[in-house]
């Protein structure tokens, strides 16, 4: 009986880890995420959470000539501008840090300065309620579009066997997705009740700024439904032949990376509190997490290594949470350019920092008349 309970607890923690990864790549505000993490056991929090908070850190462009940094005393965003020299159209991505009201102000300032013809936010229609809108009709912008009808290039499923096996796999995906969605919904309601605030402050600011922008007549809800993303993770994990192994690999990568940094941050906090060498002093979990975020914000080498490891060791998560969503959000912007090439010259995209590098590569490839990175990846996989 003890073994069964232990295994159940471990499985629930792995599910929470999966959801935590979704939280960060779905651009939930860090304050809300930290409140969620406070419900996890201390060791699990320290082993799995802080390095994932890197997704709320600072991103940089690979090409300085295409980068315009928003500079101030507490810069929490990076702005990337990519232009199509053939059409004169340009997209500007602002990667939000979700750490304070400053991100909201930076979003407002960017939209006011650029006066874009359209604004894309990392939200899907099902999440509008989180911003305080019952439906799209309440948004005071002429046109509101989404990415739900954009076809996502997907490699053929690697289903082992057919018939009953296929049915069993699809049933497993449905159960996993529904359970995960139920837990996410519960977390959302609990957070909003406890903190008396709605999630997605920078996205609400983007909508409000777009409403006030005289040049902007279109709002793009560029992300996909969260349950679809969770389902894709389940599909890819099942196709790998080791469903729980995928979650275990994610946990392993995260723990190995953070174990190299946490002791250093903990020591610095103890020194600040006059408790140097006092290993029995209990640091506040939220304070520790915040300190790790601040330490990682400008550590490009750490960020690059973590993303590289995630892509190599946990490609199922990287594919579903980053690559596919990068594609959909980028294509939702490109579609507006193509629909009205003479009218739409500038679009601003407000996304989590983790999406900026992939979306930047997408636009540079397409503007150079090359296939999108995801299309290239699938072609490579299919040829093997």
């Amino acid at each position: 009986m003890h073994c069964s309970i232990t295994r159940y607890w471990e499985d629930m923690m792995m599910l929470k880890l999966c959801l935590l990864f979704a939280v960060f790549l779905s651009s939930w505000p860090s304050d809300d995420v930290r409140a969620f993490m406070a419900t996890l056991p201390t060791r699990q929090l320290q082993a799995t959470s802080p390095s994932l908070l890197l997704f709320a850190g600072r991103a940089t462009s690979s090409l300085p000539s295409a980068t315009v940094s928003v500079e101030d005393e507490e810069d929490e965003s990076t702005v990337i501008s990519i232009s199509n020299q053939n059409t004169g159209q340009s997209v500007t991505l602002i990667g939000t840090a979700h750490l304070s009201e400053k991100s909201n102000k930076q979003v407002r300032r960017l939209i006011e300065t650029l006066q874009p013809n359209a604004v894309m936010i990392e939200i899907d229609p099902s999440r509008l309620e989180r911003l305080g809108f019952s439906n799209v009709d309440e948004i005071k912008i002429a046109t509101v579009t989404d990415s739900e009808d954009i076809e996502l290039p997907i490699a053929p499923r690697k289903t082992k066997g057919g018939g009953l096996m296929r049915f069993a796999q699809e049933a497993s995906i449905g159960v996993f997705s529904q359970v995960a969605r139920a837990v996410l919904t519960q977390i959302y309601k609990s957070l909003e009740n406890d903190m008396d605030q709605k999630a997605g402050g920078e996205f609400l600011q983007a909508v409000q700024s777009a409403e006030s922008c005289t040049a902007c007549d279109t709002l793009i809800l560029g992300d996909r439904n969260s349950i679809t993303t969770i389902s894709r993770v389940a599909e890819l994990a099942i196709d790998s032949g080791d469903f729980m192994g995928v979650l275990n690999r994610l946990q392993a990568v995260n723990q190995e990376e953070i174990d190299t940094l946490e002791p250093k941050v903990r020591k610095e906090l103890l020194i600040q509190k006059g408790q140097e060498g006092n290993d029995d002093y209990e640091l506040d979990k939220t304070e520790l997490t915040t300190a790790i975020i601040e330490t990682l914000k400008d550590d490009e080498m750490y960020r690059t290594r973590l993303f590289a490891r995630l892509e190599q060791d946990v490609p199922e998560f990287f594919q579903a949470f980053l690559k596919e969503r990068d594609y959909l959000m980028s294509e939702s912007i490109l579609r507006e350019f193509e629909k009205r090439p003479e009218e739409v010259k500038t679009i601003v995209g407000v996304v989590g920092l983790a999406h900026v590098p992939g979306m930047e590569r997408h636009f540079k490839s397409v503007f150079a008349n090359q296939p999108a990175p995801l299309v290239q990846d699938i072609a490579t996989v299919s040829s093997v």
Side-chain angles (χ1 to χ4, degrees), residues 152-381:
L152 179 71
I154 296 178
R157 294 281 306 277
K158 299 177 182 178
T159 306
K160 296 182 178 179
L164 184 60
M165 177 63 73
R166 176 81 178 189
F167 176 79
Q169 286 186 338
E170 297 301 331
S172 298
I173 291 172
V175 170
F176 176 81
S177 301
Q178 292 298 331
V179 170
R181 179 60 177 266
V183 174
L184 280 172
T185 300
Q186 184 179 10
I187 292 170
Y188 259 129
K189 290 180 179 179
S190 176
L191 289 173
E192 292 179 345
N193 290 336
D194 293 344
M195 303 184 71
D196 192 28
Q197 69 176 27
K198 293 288 184 180
E202 71 272 39
F203 302 127
L204 177 59
Q205 180 61 65
V207 174
Q208 294 172 339
S209 296
E211 290 177 329
S212 302
C213 176
T214 56
C216 183
D217 62 7
T218 301
L219 176 69
I220 308 168
L221 309 178
D223 202 5
R224 69 180 174 189
N225 190 291
S226 59
I227 199 168
T228 303
T229 296
I230 295 171
S231 295
R232 279 292 292 152
V233 173
E235 288 180 357
L236 294 170
I238 288 173
D239 290 348
S240 74
D242 187 9
F243 183 85
M244 291 306 298
V246 172
L247 302 182
N248 285 324
R249 279 185 273 122
L250 175 62
Q251 184 182 39
V253 169
N254 189 57
Q255 184 169 339
E256 289 169 12
E257 290 293 330
I258 200 58
D259 280 351
T260 65
L261 185 63
E262 184 196 350
K264 174 184 175 182
V265 176
R266 179 182 291 275
K267 180 179 179 180
E268 291 175 351
L269 281 177
L270 289 174
I271 292 175
Q272 293 174 14
K273 295 178 178 296
Q275 298 290 331
E276 183 175 5
N278 183 2
D279 295 334
D280 296 327
Y281 186 85
E282 185 174 350
L283 291 169
D284 178 76
K285 291 188 289 292
T286 299
E287 184 178 15
L288 175 60
T289 300
T290 302
I292 291 176
I293 295 172
E294 295 301 322
T295 302
L296 295 176
K297 279 175 65 177
D298 294 319
D299 194 338
E300 184 177 0
M301 290 181 62
Y302 185 96
R303 182 173 59 252
T304 300
R305 184 176 69 248
L306 177 59
F307 275 109
R309 285 206 62 191
L310 286 171
E311 184 171 15
Q312 178 179 344
D313 294 356
V314 202
E316 301 86 357
F317 274 91
F318 203 85
Q319 177 83 5
F321 279 111
L322 275 176
K323 289 185 176 182
E324 294 181 356
R325 294 169 65 208
D326 290 350
Y327 179 92
L328 291 171
M329 289 189 285
S330 299
E331 287 295 310
S332 71
I333 291 175
L334 290 171
R335 182 168 61 179
E336 290 304 311
F337 281 141
E338 294 170 358
K339 283 166 57 178
R340 298 183 294 159
E342 298 302 322
E343 299 174 41
V344 180
K345 294 297 184 182
T346 303
I347 295 180
V348 166
V350 183
V351 299
L353 278 163
H355 292 287
V356 173
M359 292 181 69
E360 181 185 9
R361 288 192 294 271
H362 187 109
F363 289 117
K364 287 179 176 177
S365 294
V366 174
F367 289 165
N369 295 318
Q370 299 294 323
L374 182 61
V375 175
Q376 296 180 37
D377 289 348
I378 292 175
T380 300
V381 172

